[in-house]
Amino acid sequence: MPQQTDNNAATPHNGGGSDDTPVADKPRERENLCRHDKFCKSVDLKESQIQKAFPAAFKFLLADQTTGENIIWATRDYENFKPGEFKLYNERFATDVLVEEDLAQDFIKPRCVKSQKEQRSRTKERAEVFTPSWVCNKQNNLIDEAWFGGKCVFNRENNKNGVETWAPIPEGAKHRGRIVFPPTAGVGKGKSWQDYIELVRMEIACGEAPYLVSRYDSARQKRKPTVIRISRRIGLLDRKLRVVSENTSTREEFFKWAKRAFQSIYAFEFQGDSLLLARENLLFSFYDYFCHKFSEAPTAGQMADIAEIISWNVFQMDAMTCAVPFTRSDQPLFGNTLCKVKDWKTGETITFASLVNSTEKNEHYPNEKIKTPETKIDFDAIIGNPPYQKELKDTTDDPIYHHFVELAKSLNPRYISMIMPSRWMTASGNEMSAFREKILSDTRFDILHDFLESNYVFQGTNISGGVCFFRWNREHNGKCVYTLHDGENKTKTTRDLKTADSDIFIRHSICAEILKKVREHDNPTEHDKPKTFDTLVSHQTPFKGLFTNFFKKEGKSLPKKYFAGAIEIWGREDNETV
């Protein structure tokens, strides 16, 4: 069973010196200096401490730039702290609630420091599975490998005895521990470190933002969570801050390019507590890297400047409507409010919905313009682990992860990498069948990793059918490199995702060969082909909206007025004919 570990880390890379600040001579000594700082060494950052040390930055961490108010809680997880006083679900964050001394020690906290009961509850109610750092690293590497045109740019992935980990590279004298930008070879021809900083990347449904920054492993369960060392961090923003640190010398130069790194990173999240944690993680990643390079903390003004960028770029949004949660055209709670984002190169503020390139009518906001060539934000990559399903009482849970994949594709980035259940490969139902057909027919999927056992990726889970993650490459047009993981064993093939005479994805190549032979048996004509079993059965909801267990959904029976002129249907409930 895989576990991320940082016990076998290589020697930290040289983060670069400074021509105006005395810095410890050795990288490890400089890194240890940071661990004496209460923020650098803390996984669970206390809101009361942040507010006291950086009051201006803290205001930005709570701000919703779209509405001019604070962000919304959008969760009931905290209503039991003071029953009768907190009615938080639809309310906005209040500073006094967050910084009260009796609550600050055990209020909003990262998932990895919560109890197992709290973690399981969140997973069940919101279909959340938190992504281990080693998985985030693999997906982030897929994006960077495509841009650089080669593997092992920032680290080398390892798997020893079932333990998934990584080691930072390059190390040694040749490149002095710095990331190399190829000037003449491969896809990376002519690209500079400044070009890398300017790449616009986004994490969807970001939770605590593990794909952007990796201060800690959000999925760690058993061991006490600790702050991951700077040299081993793997987030997309971590990588940019590493490059900035390696290629700048003065505080002013570092801060200039650190701001550009933050301005080129976006994320959105529905739940307010997760959004606040994500914002805190980004802000204090800047704090960590600044301390690591200059052996002192950034100023309150610098923290406020970075926090303001974060408040625009890491925003609260309902992905189904591209709007502030609980707002829609017919029943606005806080107004009919589309989420706004900022294009930092032009200074313009635009709606996120305007970035979506869709020819379909938007039922929530039919008058909103679609993406045009004039739209400034050009996404290089979109990455993440979207929520998998929407829980419905007494019936089948509705899958929703495919909506996030379609949303990402509609933004037309160069690359997409997402992890999701593998059920799409065979699932029935109109939506999932259509989604599967889109994937199987799309030749831009160039890499697909498929895990038969979800527990190998997400410890303690049992996701039927397993999970998978992919890379979608806008410039690719051809076969897909498909890797099937069965425990620690894996099989890699280069193949078409679509198999002739099959409307599902066939995971095992030998099964595809068997199907081919069965289909060709005796070379029957189209008229004489025997019926296959899938043509003789129906899925669970053959009639839209009517589930097989609809009796229990509304009590023993529904009012007769709903069945006027209806066709009578007989079935069985509690072993009786009804």
Side-chain angles (χ1 to χ4, degrees):
M1 185 180 300
Q3 295 180 0
Q4 179 271 323
T5 178
D6 57 3
N7 292 334
N8 60 344
T11 302
H13 73 277
N14 189 328
S18 169
D19 59 7
D20 65 347
T21 304
V23 181
D25 293 333
K26 296 181 180 181
R28 188 176 294 278
E29 291 178 5
R30 183 167 59 251
E31 193 156 21
N32 288 338
L33 286 174
C34 302
R35 292 189 175 273
H36 295 292
D37 186 286
K38 65 181 178 182
F39 292 119
C40 288
K41 66 182 181 181
S42 298
V43 171
D44 186 7
L45 299 164
K46 305 300 182 184
E47 284 71 33
S48 57
Q49 295 177 356
I50 299 173
Q51 196 269 345
K52 184 177 180 180
F54 306 106
F58 187 67
K59 288 182 179 179
F60 281 121
L61 293 180
L62 299 182
D64 177 20
Q65 295 288 5
T66 297
T67 63
E69 305 286 342
N70 281 353
I71 57 178
I72 302 164
W73 284 92
T75 176
R76 292 189 170 90
D77 287 357
Y78 306 93
E79 292 182 347
N80 291 329
F81 272 90
K82 286 189 176 181
E85 293 186 32
F86 289 179
K87 298 185 182 300
L88 301 177
Y89 191 65
N90 297 336
E91 294 182 0
R92 299 192 181 278
F93 276 58
T95 302
D96 58 342
V97 171
L98 291 174
V99 300
E100 280 187 33
E101 288 301 324
D102 60 330
L103 295 179
Q105 299 304 312
D106 195 27
F107 202 44
I108 294 180
K109 52 189 177 182
R111 191 254 190 189
C112 62
V113 302
K114 292 179 179 179
S115 68
Q116 294 291 309
K117 181 179 179 181
E118 290 176 292
Q119 293 182 21
R120 287 192 296 269
S121 174
R122 188 83 167 212
T123 299
K124 179 180 179 181
E125 292 176 5
R126 288 289 300 169
E128 291 180 343
V129 284
F130 287 77
T131 320
S133 291
W134 68 267
V135 176
C136 296
N137 184 54
K138 283 181 178 291
Q139 290 182 251
N140 287 348
N141 282 346
L142 289 181
I143 301 301
D144 277 331
E145 287 167 6
W147 193 83
F148 279 89
K151 292 181 176 294
C152 301
V153 178
F154 286 90
N155 56 67
R156 178 176 286 107
E157 301 168 12
N158 299 319
N159 184 326
K160 294 182 179 180
N161 301 320
V163 177
E164 297 281 359
T165 183
W166 63 93
I169 58 171
E171 300 290 344
K174 182 178 180 181
H175 303 299
R176 297 183 181 179
R178 297 191 176 200
I179 301 302
V180 178
F181 291 83
T184 57
V187 178
K189 182 178 180 179
K191 293 177 179 177
S192 67
W193 70 267
Q194 294 94 335
D195 294 328
Y196 184 77
I197 301 302
E198 298 284 356
L199 293 173
V200 180
R201 293 174 169 181
M202 180 171 69
E203 180 178 353
I204 54 94
C206 68
E208 298 172 18
Y211 288 93
L212 301 184
V213 290
S214 54
R215 296 189 73 250
Y216 54 82
D217 190 339
S218 62
R220 179 171 289 184
Q221 292 184 331
K222 296 182 179 180
R223 290 180 294 165
K224 182 180 178 180
T226 57
V227 174
I228 295 176
R229 296 206 301 270
I230 289 283
S231 59
R232 289 182 50 76
R233 297 191 185 181
I234 51 82
L236 294 176
L237 180 58
D238 288 319
R239 299 173 185 217
K240 291 191 177 196
L241 291 175
R242 172 182 173 175
V243 170
V244 170
S245 185
E246 290 175 353
N247 291 278
T248 60
S249 298
T250 67
R251 293 182 183 85
E252 292 75 18
E253 193 179 12
F254 176 90
F255 187 59
K256 169 189 172 182
W257 284 101
K259 286 176 65 177
R260 284 300 306 139
F262 276 87
Q263 289 169 352
S264 63
I265 289 289
Y266 291 83
F268 67 82
E269 168 61 33
F270 184 91
Q271 292 184 295
D273 59 338
S274 294
L275 181 70
L276 179 60
L277 289 169
R279 288 177 168 187
E280 291 175 354
N281 286 334
L282 264 69
L283 178 62
F284 283 90
S285 289
F286 165 73
Y287 187 97
D288 292 345
Y289 279 89
F290 194 97
C291 287
H292 180 258
K293 185 170 179 63
F294 299 111
S295 298
E296 65 181 35
T299 67
Q302 289 172 324
M303 291 289 282
D305 287 348
I306 296 296
E308 182 179 12
I309 297 171
I310 293 171
S311 69
W312 276 105
N313 284 28
V314 184
F315 52 96
Q316 190 169 28
M317 186 178 80
D318 183 343
M320 301 302 174
T321 62
C322 296
V324 173
F326 313 118
T327 68
R328 58 187 191 187
S329 56
D330 58 339
Q331 268 188 326
L333 180 60
F334 298 117
N336 189 357
T337 311
L338 287 171
C339 288
K340 296 177 183 178
V341 295
K342 180 174 284 191
D343 176 5
W344 293 94
K345 288 186 176 180
T346 65
E348 296 179 19
T349 300
I350 57 178
T351 64
F352 183 84
S354 69
L355 299 173
V356 177
N357 185 11
S358 175
T359 57
E360 299 178 5
K361 182 179 178 181
N362 188 321
E363 60 179 286
H364 298 282
Y365 305 101
N367 297 322
E368 182 61 25
K369 66 180 181 180
I370 64 173
K371 186 175 182 179
T372 65
E374 289 74 30
T375 300
K376 303 298 182 182
I377 301 178
D378 182 20
F379 290 101
D380 172 71
I382 297 175
I383 199 164
N385 178 10
Y388 294 165
Q389 61 196 31
K390 178 172 60 176
E391 188 176 43
L392 301 175
K393 285 189 176 182
D394 300 323
T395 188
T396 304
D397 295 334
D398 267 356
I400 59 175
Y401 58 89
H402 57 294
H403 293 298
F404 290 83
V405 177
E406 293 302 314
L407 175 63
K409 290 171 68 175
S410 72
L411 294 168
N412 195 32
R414 291 182 183 87
Y415 312 110
I416 302 172
S417 181
M418 291 193 195
I419 187 167
M420 59 185 180
S422 297
R423 288 193 295 265
W424 65 267
M425 298 177 178
T426 57
S428 59
N430 293 334
E431 282 196 21
M432 294 310 299
S433 296
F435 176 65
R436 177 170 58 251
E437 179 58 30
K438 288 180 181 178
I439 291 183
L440 299 184
S441 302
D442 193 340
T443 56
R444 293 169 293 184
F445 286 89
D446 63 344
I447 294 178
L448 176 60
H449 286 269
D450 184 14
F451 297 83
L452 295 177
E453 301 175 10
S454 66
N455 190 56
Y456 187 87
V457 178
F458 303 115
Q459 294 181 37
T461 67
N462 183 19
I463 301 174
S464 177
V467 295
C468 64
F469 65 82
F470 63 83
R471 184 177 71 191
W472 180 93
N473 184 339
R474 189 175 66 192
E475 307 302 323
H476 181 73
N477 181 19
K479 296 181 181 295
C480 178
V481 178
Y482 172 69
T483 304
L484 180 64
H485 300 258
D486 187 358
E488 296 179 22
N489 301 316
K490 58 184 179 181
T491 305
K492 181 185 291 187
T493 56
T494 300
R495 52 173 288 189
D496 293 318
L497 295 180
K498 192 173 183 63
T499 302
D501 295 324
S502 176
D503 61 353
I504 64 173
F505 178 71
I506 300 177
R507 304 166 90 167
H508 297 273
S509 58
I510 189 171
C511 294
E513 291 300 318
I514 292 173
L515 175 64
K516 181 180 178 181
K517 291 181 179 180
V518 169
R519 295 293 196 192
E520 294 174 349
H521 182 65
D522 293 333
N523 296 315
T525 64
E526 187 69 29
H527 178 74
D528 295 330
K529 278 187 178 180
K531 288 186 177 181
T532 53
F533 189 70
D534 63 294
T535 65
L536 306 177
V537 296
S538 67
H539 53 79
Q540 186 178 10
T541 56
F543 305 104
K544 186 176 181 181
L546 180 60
F547 292 88
T548 56
N549 56 350
F550 74 95
F551 289 103
K552 292 183 179 179
K553 193 173 183 181
E554 298 291 343
K556 187 66 178 178
S557 61
L558 297 174
K560 292 183 179 180
K561 65 180 181 179
Y562 291 114
F563 296 95
I567 299 175
E568 189 169 349
I569 301 175
W570 289 84
R572 296 188 68 82
E573 182 186 23
D574 298 331
N575 209 31
E576 295 182 3
T577 302
V578 293

